[in-house]
């Protein structure tokens, strides 16, 4: 497709971003077109204002989901995967995944095909947002969730299938287990390779962004050789590669950590779910295996106002896709109604990834200001007295009006 842009390059471990980068986008299904239109409007306006026209994204539409089916006869065309691989950075709206049967989750396929091994979700409170907790402003936590392994690897067999029977017979006969023969079977692989690259990415982020604490979250007391190993390999890579930049909780004896070091600790998952409610300010970066990471990302998002407000990304080296964290909300499709903040804020994350931080922080402040002024979509309006109810596109305009240089 013709576009007036240049390719982002990756050389010597660094992104080289031109002033007019080609960025592929997937509009998404259901409410996807509504939230994408709103997000694109805000991203373009922020870039224009922050750089006075000297920078501009050259958007390139690529197809997946319903549009992929219509144009290519498949929900995830090879052209789409190749475009994102080639252009390195992409952004997407939500995609439908039929439950049980049909095709595999498109999101999981995209992550696996492009080896986007970390799901990164910064969870931070924007003033004025209705929240179910008393002190939501204490939450400023970025979750690095492993994206390729664990029970999400998709290695499972249904009850009674030849594969399930074979595995159960093998385990019961050869390894003295006593698994019921009417069980479904799933495999939970967690590797040293995937753990170390995730923890390394979390550490590099913490150091680059002056974060105070990195916490390895796991259920290693029960699943010793998967979740427990995640903790051990996590500590190992930190000790081997970041020793001079960190202090371990076990070295402190209750003392305050030195201000120039990142504090590293670990928490068992069940206790961590209490900690994020009771003492969120003591945590800043979490590195977590896949399944627990899924739960904890959504639990944290709920504390600051729900999924409609939470940005997200799937990141590899160097490929990254920024995405709305909510689904397609089919009952609201085409109504110009839902909250586009998740995709707008994911756009801000994307701009940060490009090194266009001025535009990114303009967007975050613009969204916050619109909410503080009670100019909101239905989901927040129903929880805020005296608010003005806006459509999805009107909310985007309300944010654009509030984009100011800081
Ligand atoms: P959903 O689409 O996230 O919607 C569930 C509810 O969350 C909506 O009914 C709405 O609540 C609220 N909501 C979602 N997005 C919102 C927004 N932008 N603004 C305000 N409220 C919002 O979840 P689902 O109904 O379970 O899933 C629908 C489809 O999306 C499924 O096919 C699923 O697989 C897919 N999905 C895709 C992704 C992705 O592509 N990343 C992620 C999750 C789910 P109210 O009804 O209370 O207004």
């Amino acid at each position: 497709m013709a576009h007036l842009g240049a390719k982002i390059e990756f050389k010597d471990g660094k992104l080289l971003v031109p002033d007019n980068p080609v960025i592929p986008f997937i509009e998404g299904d259901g409410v996807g077109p509504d939230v994408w239109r709103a997000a694109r409007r805000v991203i373009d306006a922020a870039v224009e204002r922050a750089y006075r026209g000297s920078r501009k994204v050259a958007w390139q539409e690529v197809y997946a989901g319903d549009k992929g089916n219509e144009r290519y006869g498949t929900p995830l065309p090879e052209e789409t995967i190749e475009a994102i691989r080639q252009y390195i950075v992409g952004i997407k709206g939500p995609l439908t995944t039929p439950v049980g049967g049909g095709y595999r989750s498109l999101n999981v396929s995209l992550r696996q095909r492009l080896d986007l091994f970390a799901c990164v979700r910064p969870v931070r409170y924007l003033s004025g947002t209705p929240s179910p907790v008393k002190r939501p402003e204490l939450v400023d936590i970025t979750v690095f969730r492993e994206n390729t392994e664990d029970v999400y690897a998709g290695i499972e067999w249904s009850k009674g299938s030849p594969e399930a029977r074979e595995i159960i017979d093998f385990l019961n006969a050869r390894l003295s287990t006593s698994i019921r023969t009417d069980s479904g079977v799933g495999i939970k692989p967690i590797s040293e390779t995937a753990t170390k690259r995730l923890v390394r990415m979390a550490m590099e982020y913490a150091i680059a962004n002056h974060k105070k604490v990195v916490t390895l979250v796991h259920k290693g007391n029960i699943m010793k050789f998967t979740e427990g190993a995640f903790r051990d390999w996590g500590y190992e890579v930190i000790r081997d590669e970041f020793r001079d930049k960190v202090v371990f909780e076990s070295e402190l004896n209750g003392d305050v950590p030195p201000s120039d070091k990142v504090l590293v600790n670990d928490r068992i998952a069940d206790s961590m779910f209490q900690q994020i409610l009771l003492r969120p300010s003591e945590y800043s970066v979490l590195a977590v295996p896949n399944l627990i990471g899924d739960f904890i990302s959504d639990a944290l998002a709920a504390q600051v106002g729900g999924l409609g407000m939470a940005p997200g990304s799937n990141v590899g080296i160097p490929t990254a896709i920024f995405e709305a964290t909510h689904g397609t909300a089919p009952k609201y499709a085409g109504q110009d109604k839902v909250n586009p903040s998740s995709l707008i804020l994911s756009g801000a994350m994307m701009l940060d990834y490009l090194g266009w931080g001025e535009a990114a922080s303009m967007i975050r402040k613009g969204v916050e200001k619109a909410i503080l002024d009670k100019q909101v979509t239905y989901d927040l309006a129903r929880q805020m007295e005296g608010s003005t109810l806006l459509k999805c596109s009107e909310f985007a305009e309300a944010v654009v009006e509030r984009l100011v240089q800081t």
Side-chain angles (χ1 to χ4, degrees):
M1 187 191 283
H3 45 69
L4 297 167
K7 233 173 127 295
I8 296 171
E9 304 282 351
F10 184 67
K11 285 215 178 87
D12 304 325
K14 284 208 171 105
L15 277 191
L16 304 176
V17 181
D19 286 339
N20 54 346
V22 176
I23 297 191
F25 69 89
I26 297 169
E27 199 178 58
D29 301 325
V31 296
D34 284 347
V35 293
W36 167 247
R37 254 190 311 276
R40 179 174 173 164
R41 167 85 180 103
V42 173
I43 296 166
D44 282 342
V47 169
E48 160 76 29
R49 273 186 217 175
Y51 308 110
R52 298 191 173 81
S54 67
R55 287 178 173 170
K56 187 174 175 25
V57 174
W59 299 110
Q60 180 184 336
E61 180 161 17
V62 293
Y63 302 96
D66 293 345
K67 277 190 160 181
N69 269 324
E70 281 158 25
R71 287 173 188 249
Y72 293 87
T74 165
L76 191 54
E78 279 305 306
E79 286 82 349
T80 297
I81 294 175
E82 269 320 301
I84 295 169
R85 204 191 304 279
Q86 194 190 343
Y87 291 111
I88 298 180
V89 174
I91 186 165
K92 64 176 274 291
L95 293 167
T96 309
T97 302
V99 176
Y103 40 78
R104 251 190 117 183
S105 158
L106 300 180
N107 298 305
V108 174
S109 301
L110 267 174
R111 288 170 197 166
Q112 289 183 346
R113 291 290 308 280
L114 291 165
D115 203 20
L116 306 175
F117 61 81
C119 178
V120 183
R121 289 217 199 150
V123 187
R124 195 172 70 84
Y125 181 66
L126 296 183
S127 307
T129 313
S131 156
V133 298
K134 285 189 189 143
R135 305 281 309 274
E137 69 280 5
L138 297 181
V139 176
D140 182 1
I141 297 178
T142 302
V143 181
F144 284 75
R145 166 189 168 199
E146 207 289 323
N147 237 351
T148 63
E149 305 198 315
D150 200 347
V151 285
Y152 276 68
I155 310 168
E156 56 174 0
W157 296 280
S158 59
K159 179 198 102 172
S161 63
E163 294 88 351
R165 249 185 279 135
E166 197 173 331
I167 285 173
I168 292 170
D169 287 349
F170 171 81
L171 292 173
N172 287 349
R174 298 282 297 277
L175 300 176
S176 307
T177 57
S178 43
I179 300 171
R180 292 189 183 92
T181 51
D182 61 351
S183 304
V185 177
I187 304 274
K188 178 186 174 79
I190 290 194
S191 70
E192 181 175 348
T193 303
T195 299
K196 286 189 169 175
R197 68 182 177 175
L198 177 90
V199 174
R200 184 180 295 118
M201 187 184 268
M203 278 303 306
E204 284 168 353
Y205 170 87
I207 292 164
N209 292 281
H210 312 290
K211 299 290 182 183
K212 291 272 163 237
V213 189
V214 172
T215 304
L216 305 168
V217 184
H218 58 89
K219 190 68 187 163
N221 53 333
I222 304 298
M223 293 169 273
K224 297 185 194 312
F225 305 120
T226 50
E227 303 262 337
F230 177 92
R231 176 204 54 207
D232 295 344
W233 290 322
Y235 275 123
E236 202 171 287
V237 70
I238 294 170
R239 220 176 289 118
D240 288 350
E241 298 180 21
F242 302 95
R243 188 63 191 99
D244 58 330
K245 304 219 164 43
V246 302
V247 59
F248 295 103
E249 192 172 71
S250 54
E251 296 171 324
L252 279 178
N253 296 321
D255 293 343
V256 177
S259 61
D260 60 338
K261 305 274 188 208
V262 179
L263 171 65
V264 174
N265 54 23
D266 76 280
R267 295 287 180 268
I268 290 175
D270 37 330
S271 136
M272 193 65 207
F273 275 87
Q274 291 197 38
Q275 296 282 302
I276 58 172
L277 277 170
L278 302 174
R279 290 146 71 170
S281 60
E282 293 178 20
Y283 298 91
S284 38
V285 175
L286 310 183
V288 198
N290 206 336
L291 182 65
I292 293 170
D294 187 17
F295 299 157
I296 212 151
S297 305
D298 279 16
L300 272 167
Q303 285 180 222
V304 299
L307 283 186
M309 297 297 302
S313 62
N314 291 295
V315 185
I317 299 175
T319 316
I321 300 181
F322 297 82
E323 66 171 1
T325 51
H326 55 78
T328 58
K331 66 182 177 188
Y332 298 126
Q335 294 180 24
D336 192 18
K337 176 171 172 130
V338 298
N339 186 348
S341 296
S342 172
L343 197 54
I344 292 174
L345 294 169
S346 301
M349 273 181 89
M350 183 190 82
L351 295 173
D352 270 332
Y353 193 73
L354 301 181
W356 296 8
E358 301 80 3
S361 68
M362 232 187 206
I363 291 178
R364 287 190 197 98
K365 295 214 170 81
V367 171
E368 191 163 38
K369 186 87 182 29
I371 294 170
L372 270 175
D373 291 347
K374 300 192 173 188
Q375 304 291 306
V376 290
T377 45
Y378 82 98
D379 53 319
L380 300 188
R382 67 190 170 189
Q383 304 173 65
M384 288 166 89
E385 260 178 50
S387 58
T388 307
L389 173 63
L390 301 181
K391 292 178 176 179
C392 178
S393 55
E394 291 170 340
F395 179 77
E397 292 310 319
V399 175
V400 169
E401 282 165 22
R402 291 166 176 78
L403 293 174
V404 285
Q405 206 107 34
T406 47

